[in-house]
Amino acid sequence: MDLIAGLKQESVIKMNLADYCTAEADASVKDVLAAMNAQHCHNALILRGGKLAGIFTDRDVLMKIADNPETLDKPVSDFMTSEVVTISKAATAADALALMSLKHVRNIPVVEDDGSIVGNFTHFSVLDFLAEKFPDVTLTHYPNSFRRFSRRRHGG
Amino acid sequence: MATEIKLTRKDFMSDQTVRWCPGCGDYAILATVQKTFPRLGIPKENFVVVSGIGCSSRFPYYMDTYGIHSIHGRAPTLATGIKLSNPELSVWVITGDGDALSIGGNHILHAGRRNVDLNILLFNNRIYGLTKGQLSPTSPVGTRTKSSPYGSIERPLNPVEVALASGATYVARTIDVLQKEMGEIMYQGALHKGLSFTEIMQNCVIFNNGAWFDYSDRSKRADNDLFLEAGKPMIFGKNKDKGLVHSDNGFKVVEIGDEYSIEDIAVHDPTSLDNAFLLSQLTYPLPLGIIYQVTKPTYCEGMWGQIEQVKAQKGVGDLNALYRSADTWTVVEEGELEIKAEVRGDVESNLDEAYVDEVLGREPLEADLAEQLSGLTLYDLNPKAPITIGPTARMDHALYLMREHRIGALLVVAPDRHLTGIITEVDIQERLAGTGMKLHDVTVQEFMTPQPVALPLDASVLEAVHFMTSKRFRHLPVVDDTLRPVGVISSRDLVEYLVKHL
Ligand SMILES: Cc1ncc(C[n+]2csc(CCOP(=O)(O)OP(=O)(O)O)c2C)c(N)n1
Ligand code: SF4
Ligand SMILES: [Mg+2]
């Protein structure tokens, strides 16, 4: 079995999907940021009339918001990416991954037939899949080389 | 035809500003050396002055000769190498009591026992001058210094005794204030074939003023100093009315008069080691001058003699051939060790049945995958070059870099280029955006996450998987042995690589 073969056999909703938070399109950037921080999310799915209208991520914050305080009171819809790449929950994990590299995105919301959101497929979903397949060598594997740097606590 | 070499003191004075304290005894020693060198008839370019570390060891800067201000305590080793490679040179070692007898104690001993043809001048001020007045190995018991606030409890070394014990073939002692005598001792030392060792009692006017006053002060010198002359009776005192006679345990001081006549006074024999050791023990009177001098084969003679002899027998050597001769071997990679184990008894029956079923039912190929995975290192992954920033840069610059390179993580490196922090887009979302922080007023080091987890290039890919899955790090810095960043890997890089290669 290779990794791709494994991902082909796995339905995307069986994967570990990332948390996300939602916000209304006319919410202010400030409020959306507050919600993201409160929920420890790095992306917000933006809804308009109950439908997915865009996505706003930490990358948008870096590129457009961080040094522009005047953006904070504007609606998040001005800064979100409106073209959201989603995938049906019927797809396989391999499909999701292929879509990810095709569209060069880091988050793919997984949606039900009716458009409601199940979760967010990210690269972590794949890594978690791998880790679960090989818990002995990934999750419980004590990182040897890291020992040399064990004083270094915090992460990136 | 050899032309006579005419040099003067001026020829040995460098253009460097002398940085000893006003009144330091080192000035008088410098002047004496500069006056003695021209007397030796040696071409200027054949003098080399090598020193260690200390006030005294600044000496080579002030001499207009070749010289090395070398490593603490190691001047004798450098000097040995210099002398050995070019025996024509007149090699002088300038050292202090700390330099020669603390850190350099070992090297002094070997220079002595090898009888290397060097001239060692040990400036003994009984203190570490340069480092501002700590105890040295020649400080007397009870000396109070910054490093011995309640008085030294260490018995001091006696440099003359150490030199004698080491096998030096010329051992002398003098005082900084006695320029004429000092010059003569240096001159004789330079003429001596083999190691000449001279202790110069030197006054450190700042940290140990007056350490030698009993012997150097005009009012006391005549009474307390014994000026040795080979073959002459050892007499001293203002009126030359005291002398040394042999007694059961060493020398005894006597008055010349009714009981002892000048005939009874012991005669100085610099070739007698016993005599020299006894003299080294005296503090009243203090023997000055050439205490010991004998002739023995020198290290250079021995070494070059041996080289010539072997060359005559075996011809000129070939270093390259020597390297490639016997005792070399090629290291071959060892194969996997075969582990032979024996399992006794019924292991399976003790295990959970469901688990056993699962294990037995596992697709065997998964094991292959695991094995493949564990063989992969970050090196195989070929991490992207890191984008770095200095800790004192401003955050607006950090932001500029991240945007310009479209990256989610910036590595912060210290001036010596080792990894000291990381800034990620997550940090910017969580701690910067919307806080009203003025980017230009905040430095990178104030904002960064210090000392992030980093992995070496030879770490297993599994370790990266471990950190990303368990800590949710989206970026991992990759560093070399000295903690300098060589790359950065993102969760995207890792997944794309794994999908392609597994
Ligand atoms: C490896 C090392 N250890 C310690 C020191 C600190 N140090 C500098 S000079 C010195 C001692 C100097 O004493 P001495 O040789 O008596 O020279 P002086 O300054 O008295 O002439 C020491 C310990 C150093 N420079 N390097
Ligand atoms: S500290 Fe002492 S030994 Fe050093 S230069 Fe000053 S007086 Fe001389
Ligand atoms: Mg000293």
Side-chain angles (χ1 to χ4, degrees):
Chain A
M1 181 191 97
D2 61 19
L3 184 56
I4 276 291
L7 291 170
K8 276 186 182 149
Q9 286 169 24
E10 203 73 56
S11 151
V12 72
I13 47 165
K14 288 272 186 60
M15 301 289 282
N16 196 4
L17 300 178
D19 290 340
Y20 61 94
C21 62
T22 55
E24 289 299 324
D26 55 6
S28 71
V29 167
K30 194 176 16 182
D31 290 345
V32 177
L33 260 178
M36 284 163 78
N37 287 343
Q39 296 173 47
H40 302 292
C41 291
H42 304 301
N43 60 75
L45 300 182
I46 311 298
L47 307 173
R48 191 180 275 127
K51 283 202 157 161
L52 190 59
I55 184 166
F56 180 75
T57 70
D58 54 355
R59 184 55 64 97
D60 296 316
V61 177
L62 169 71
M63 300 303 282
K64 307 169 201 166
I65 309 297
D67 57 346
N68 292 321
E70 66 276 15
T71 57
L72 291 172
D73 292 321
K74 298 196 173 146
V76 70
S77 54
D78 289 1
F79 306 99
M80 69 187 186
T81 307
S82 336
E83 200 187 295
V84 191
V85 181
T86 60
I87 196 161
S88 147
K89 73 169 192 180
T92 67
D95 294 333
L97 192 60
L99 197 57
M100 230 175 177
S101 44
L102 185 71
K103 299 280 180 184
H104 209 75
V105 292
R106 299 191 299 180
N107 297 278
I108 299 193
V110 179
V111 291
E112 301 263 12
D113 293 343
D114 65 358
S116 60
I117 300 151
V118 185
N120 213 353
F121 183 88
T122 68
H123 291 110
F124 282 122
S125 308
V126 182
L127 294 177
D128 290 343
F129 170 81
L130 196 67
E132 277 161 28
K133 279 271 181 262
F134 307 108
D136 45 341
V137 283
T138 53
L139 292 179
T140 58
H141 173 87
Y142 188 82
N144 285 322
S145 326
F146 169 69
R147 258 182 227 162
R148 288 198 243 157
F149 308 101
S150 57
R151 284 180 297 112
R152 281 142 237 276
R153 277 282 148 87
H154 310 272
Chain B
M1 194 190 81
T3 46
E4 203 189 335
I5 296 155
K6 279 215 178 97
L7 295 169
T8 65
R9 177 183 174 191
K10 266 217 159 76
D11 290 305
F12 292 97
M13 290 163 68
S14 80
D15 60 357
Q16 300 294 300
T17 313
V18 184
R19 296 199 187 279
W20 290 315
C21 308
C24 175
D26 291 353
Y27 285 96
I29 307 174
L30 175 65
T32 308
V33 171
Q34 286 166 338
K35 280 187 224 160
T36 305
F37 276 16
R39 290 174 62 197
L40 292 167
I42 297 173
K44 190 170 146 175
E45 63 273 19
N46 279 7
F47 283 102
V48 188
V49 182
V50 186
S51 67
I53 299 295
C55 294
S56 36
S57 288
R58 294 192 57 78
F59 206 91
Y61 296 118
Y62 311 141
M63 292 296 298
D64 195 21
T65 63
Y66 287 112
I68 303 178
H69 182 198
S70 82
I71 310 168
H72 206 4
R74 271 66 179 181
T77 64
L78 275 94
T80 299
I82 292 168
K83 182 70 187 178
L84 199 56
S85 55
N86 186 356
E88 293 281 291
L89 302 177
S90 175
V91 185
W92 295 72
V93 171
I94 307 293
T95 181
D97 42 321
D99 188 60
L101 298 171
S102 288
I103 192 166
N106 155 32
H107 302 292
I108 280 283
L109 294 183
H110 295 293
R113 85 183 165 86
R114 288 173 173 159
N115 198 28
V116 190
D117 196 359
L118 306 174
N119 305 292
I120 299 181
L121 304 181
L122 189 157
F123 294 30
N124 184 7
N125 54 12
R126 313 192 93 173
I127 202 87
Y128 291 174
L130 187 76
T131 49
K132 302 199 164 119
Q134 299 83 359
L135 190 72
S136 99
T138 58
S139 305
V141 174
T143 304
R144 285 172 192 267
T145 69
K146 286 164 195 156
S147 56
S148 56
Y150 304 109
S152 168
I153 50 169
E154 302 171 16
R155 277 175 300 128
L157 283 174
N158 173 337
V160 165
E161 198 184 352
V162 171
L164 290 170
S166 77
T169 51
Y170 176 104
V171 180
R173 180 154 59 200
T174 185
I175 306 187
D176 54 7
V177 294
L178 303 174
Q179 287 201 42
K180 206 166 137 270
E181 290 82 351
M182 177 166 44
E184 197 51 30
I185 282 173
M186 287 175 188
Y187 183 73
Q188 295 300 334
L191 298 186
H192 175 77
K193 257 176 69 194
L195 187 90
S196 85
F197 175 97
T198 304
E199 175 191 2
I200 305 172
M201 298 167 140
Q202 173 240 327
N203 193 39
C204 168
V205 68
I206 301 294
F207 297 112
N208 205 12
N209 195 22
W212 302 116
F213 270 12
D214 281 349
Y215 309 111
S216 61
D217 197 61
R218 240 170 240 288
S219 62
K220 312 209 170 156
R221 253 186 240 166
D223 281 329
N224 295 342
D225 294 357
L226 166 64
F227 294 95
L228 299 169
E229 277 183 85
K232 300 265 174 71
M234 295 185 275
I235 52 172
F236 68 102
K238 234 182 242 120
N239 308 316
K240 299 281 174 216
D241 56 354
K242 298 192 191 75
L244 298 183
V245 297
H246 287 288
S247 77
D248 288 345
N249 39 14
F251 286 118
K252 187 170 81 172
V253 176
V254 298
E255 304 251 349
I256 301 169
D258 303 339
E259 204 178 331
Y260 294 96
S261 78
I262 187 88
E263 312 294 313
D264 300 315
I265 303 300
V267 169
H268 178 47
D269 175 10
T271 64
S272 158
L273 190 58
D274 289 343
N275 187 54
F277 269 116
L278 292 178
L279 289 175
S280 76
Q281 300 304 306
L282 288 182
T283 51
Y284 172 75
L286 185 82
L288 296 174
I290 302 169
I291 294 171
Y292 182 63
Q293 184 173 16
V294 292
T295 311
K296 291 210 172 129
T298 70
Y299 191 62
C300 284
E301 286 168 355
M303 180 62 83
W304 282 107
Q306 201 171 52
I307 290 172
E308 291 309 323
Q309 194 186 350
V310 175
K311 266 204 238 166
Q313 286 166 0
K314 298 189 166 182
V316 180
D318 179 347
L319 191 61
N320 200 29
L322 181 69
Y323 277 147
R324 288 159 203 284
S325 64
D327 286 351
T328 66
W329 57 89
T330 310
V331 180
V332 280
E333 211 175 307
E334 278 186 34
E336 288 270 299
L337 274 184
E338 199 186 329
I339 299 170
K340 293 199 181 102
E342 207 180 319
V343 180
R344 285 163 203 262
D346 187 3
V347 179
E348 270 179 31
S349 67
N350 293 327
L351 294 174
D352 172 37
E353 270 177 41
Y355 178 72
V356 173
D357 286 348
E358 197 215 302
V359 169
L360 294 178
R362 245 187 213 174
E363 256 194 81
L365 278 168
E366 263 181 39
D368 283 357
L369 190 52
E371 203 180 299
Q372 263 188 55
L373 254 178
S374 59
L376 290 176
T377 66
L378 299 187
Y379 184 83
D380 301 313
L381 216 137
N382 192 15
K384 287 202 183 76
I387 307 294
T388 61
I389 193 169
T392 53
R394 308 272 146 181
M395 275 308 289
D396 50 359
H397 185 57
L399 206 66
Y400 166 81
L401 283 179
M402 292 174 83
R403 286 177 175 177
E404 194 63 17
H405 294 275
R406 306 191 73 80
I407 47 165
L410 202 55
L411 303 190
V412 185
V413 292
D416 70 358
R417 307 223 319 274
H418 81 259
L419 179 68
T420 151
I422 193 167
I423 293 174
T424 69
E425 54 198 340
V426 169
D427 301 329
I428 292 193
Q429 177 209 308
E430 290 179 349
R431 296 192 282 117
L432 192 154
T435 59
M437 192 188 281
K438 294 263 182 301
L439 291 182
H440 183 72
D441 296 342
V442 182
T443 60
V444 163
Q445 62 194 351
E446 288 167 320
F447 185 80
M448 69 184 189
T449 301
Q451 311 206 321
V453 165
L455 288 173
L457 260 182
D458 58 4
S460 154
V461 163
L462 288 172
E463 292 178 44
V465 175
H466 170 93
F467 279 112
M468 289 192 174
T469 52
S470 63
K471 307 274 189 216
R472 299 326 244 191
F473 294 156
R474 225 188 269 164
H475 297 91
L476 276 173
V478 185
V479 292
D480 68 10
D481 285 347
T482 59
L483 281 184
R484 291 179 178 173
V486 292
V488 63
I489 48 173
S490 68
S491 50
R492 179 202 293 270
D493 300 337
L494 189 55
V495 168
E496 284 178 355
Y497 177 85
L498 293 174
V499 166
K500 233 196 234 149
H501 292 90
L502 291 184

